[in-house]
Amino acid sequence: MSNVYEESLLLHEKYKGKLEIKSKVPLNDARDLSLAYSPGVAEPCRKIQQNQEDIYKYTSRGNMVAVITDGSAVLGLGNIGPYAALPVMEGKSILLKQFANVDSFPICLNTQDPEEIIKTCKLLAPSLGGINLEDISAPRCVEIERRLVEELDIPVFHDDQHGTAIITTAALINACRLTKKRIEDLVVVISGTGAAGSSIIKMLHKLGIKDIIAYNITGIVHKSKEKTYDPLLIEILEITNKNNKLGNDTLEYALEGADVFIGVSAGGIVNKNMIAKMNKDPFVFSMANPTPEIMPEEAKAGGAYIIGTGRSDYPNQINNVLAFPGIFRGALDCRARKINEEMKFAASLALAYLIEEEDLNKDYIVPSPFDNRIVTAVRNAVIDAAIKTNVARIK
Amino acid sequence: MSNVYEESLLLHEKYKGKLEIKSKVPLNDARDLSLAYSPGVAEPCRKIQQNQEDIYKYTSRGNMVAVITDGSAVLGLGNIGPYAALPVMEGKSILLKQFANVDSFPICLNTQDPEEIIKTCKLLAPSLGGINLEDISAPRCVEIERRLVEELDIPVFHDDQHGTAIITTAALINACRLTKKRIEDLVVVISGTGAAGSSIIKMLHKLGIKDIIAYNITGIVHKSKEKTYDPLLIEILEITNKNNKLGNDTLEYALEGADVFIGVSAGGIVNKNMIAKMNKDPFVFSMANPTPEIMPEEAKAGGAYIIGTGRSDYPNQINNVLAFPGIFRGALDCRARKINEEMKFAASLALAYLIEEEDLNKDYIVPSPFDNRIVTAVRNAVIDAAIKTNVARIK
């Protein structure tokens, strides 16, 4: 892996960052200037003043997203602050452009106070068609996103929460399609209850999975610990561990008799013996980055049947880039007031059913990021769901 | 003029705004993705975490400006709010790119509270190489800019204040070069004491003009009215009207015996009889937009010798685009901590002396916006001044 880091550094240095802007209109002479700027520009201003919705007709707002972070939970690097987070935000911006032609710019906020973050996002909204929150730590991220979804009428989406959840859900649907296991019968163990883990738990609960056991650094999420839990963990507690399993309070114990392991926690914490204690032919989605909870070779040795990771060098890459470009494309195109649960779930289904049943195999349960059908499929599904749930402003 | 408005509207509708983003790096396969985004992007993040200055090496920050408004004083349209202001901000962004290859994005803030504007700009700073404040009303703009210049270590520049001042100063220098009048002997009347007017007054005062008379909707700026003045007008009062002229408190009275009229106020408030009462061969820079204080034909009929406007359809266009692109180019290239008075004055001189003395004539005292020598000349002058005044971080 060291090579990819060195090469990445050279790439970033060569181009001095990854993002630039471009004029969509000609600017070659005094006439062009008088149309794009003074005095001509006064006319679209007047139109928007008369009818605020005309902002979508005469400006780039309808296609313009901000990728906003406070630098508190960047990749696997932790709380590295807003300056060091900028390369990731630029990366997100160019992926949005490349995969879905969504324009965006990176904003790294010099605060980690949730109220200041919420306030700032609201102040920035008039020039934005949507907000992609990024790399904000849990549980703060959940409250920040919830408030912004409530208080703004443009789509706000925290990809670290929902991106992984949407793709994990798609992967699980396809693992079941392939193996004929029934979603509602699965016992699922999730390691990690941060941004991604909490969203996965909520989404799988809505999907109909009845038995979810959550695990984090304090052990198995269990009602005996309720007094020490923040509101997010209490929410998780309410929909997990229906049989009050605790045992010796280890991940190993939790995995006994489980059908699915989902890891969004830390590298190397699962071994093949733990996998061997799961039910027959388990699904193991081990997504800690860059080192998974268990490496695919070892998971296989423990008996795992379907294996996914976050890595591009193994099959079944659970990669957020499968979801967020199409989700924003759809939300912007129908001018959605928000991105709701139905839209996220529609994105999961669209991703899953992009693969025909006869093409599914244990090394192909999620599409490749460069499958060029993805964005359109996700976009269309998201728009349909937005219209059905009355959050689309244009149809 | 109606045609330019209709055409501008069509242009804005055709392209849905004027701005898009673009990736500077390739993004065509999984390898590209692993370098521009996860996992490779972790490496520039780590480098910046270790040494914050590396942000200029590995990100676009060093070339990235935000064009920020609250929509309180947009063009000649007044307080039309943040939504209706967006077309102007997009215009500014693409001009920065076209003329000086400076990247930028438009931010229209949903507040007109100065403290909230200041706070927000400070929170946005980690991803910005500089801030272009735009179309914020006086006197608030002066305090907002002053505070940000003090409290941030990136260049902050309110173009409505200083852009017009820099170019008006250049025009006045060249008018004197052409006519052999001495700067220090001139009696200057300025109509308008808002963002542009107040900055012009301060700059001409520093240039050595001893007799400046300021006029606004309350009449001639005069010490008898001091109790009604805000801090900005008190500042103006201190450096103007040294002979305490008041008379019948009209612009006509102020202009009697003046050498220069500078209008940054309202269309049509000056007539040829008023010009006729000025000293022989006066300079008339009548820059209200789109209708000047006096049209060039009428100013000429009143005896004006050198005439400038803000319009592209008459000679001597006092156009901000002559200054701000080169100023930002210079400030970013030397990583200036601020844009100080010396740098602004250097920009004026560079603009003025771009025209050789033998090429000057009464219809050519400022360069054309499309003279491709401008940005480099302004940039170099700004960098020299930044280095001399110790605000440049690289040399």
Side-chain angles (χ1 to χ4, degrees), chain A residues 38-202:
Chain A
S38 178
V41 72
E43 194 60 16
C45 293
R46 277 189 284 257
K47 291 285 181 193
I48 297 166
Q49 193 191 4
Q50 286 156 22
N51 175 14
Q52 195 175 294
E53 283 294 299
D54 275 357
I55 196 169
Y56 291 102
K57 197 166 164 187
Y58 299 119
T59 79
S60 303
R61 187 191 186 205
N63 201 46
M64 188 63 74
V65 168
V67 179
I68 301 181
T69 192
D70 65 352
S72 59
V74 181
L75 303 173
L77 303 171
N79 187 355
I80 61 174
Y83 295 90
L86 185 51
V88 179
M89 304 309 123
E90 289 188 2
K92 197 82 177 199
S93 276
I94 59 169
L95 295 190
L96 276 166
K97 185 68 177 179
Q98 175 75 10
F99 285 96
N101 198 29
V102 170
D103 293 304
S104 66
F105 51 83
I107 299 262
C108 301
L109 293 178
N110 206 2
T111 179
Q112 297 193 341
D113 176 77
E115 286 303 323
E116 286 192 342
I117 294 168
I118 292 166
K119 173 94 186 184
T120 306
C121 289
K122 291 171 69 176
L123 293 180
L124 298 178
S127 27
L128 300 177
I131 293 176
N132 182 113
L133 299 173
E134 191 76 18
D135 288 356
I136 299 176
S137 67
R140 304 152 62 248
C141 61
V142 176
E143 173 66 7
I144 291 168
E145 190 200 40
R146 190 185 63 73
R147 285 273 304 282
L148 287 171
V149 169
E150 274 174 26
E151 296 175 25
L152 285 174
D153 65 349
I154 53 172
V156 177
F157 185 77
H158 184 214
D159 189 43
D160 303 274
Q161 288 180 65
H162 313 301
T164 311
I166 287 165
I167 299 146
T168 303
T169 300
L172 197 58
I173 290 169
N174 277 352
C176 286
R177 287 170 75 203
L178 176 63
T179 58
K180 312 295 176 201
K181 290 187 185 179
R182 285 160 36 114
I183 293 263
E184 54 271 37
D185 296 338
L186 297 176
V187 177
V188 177
V189 173
I190 298 183
S191 173
T193 58
S198 59
S199 183
I200 291 171
I201 290 166
K202 292 180 205 171

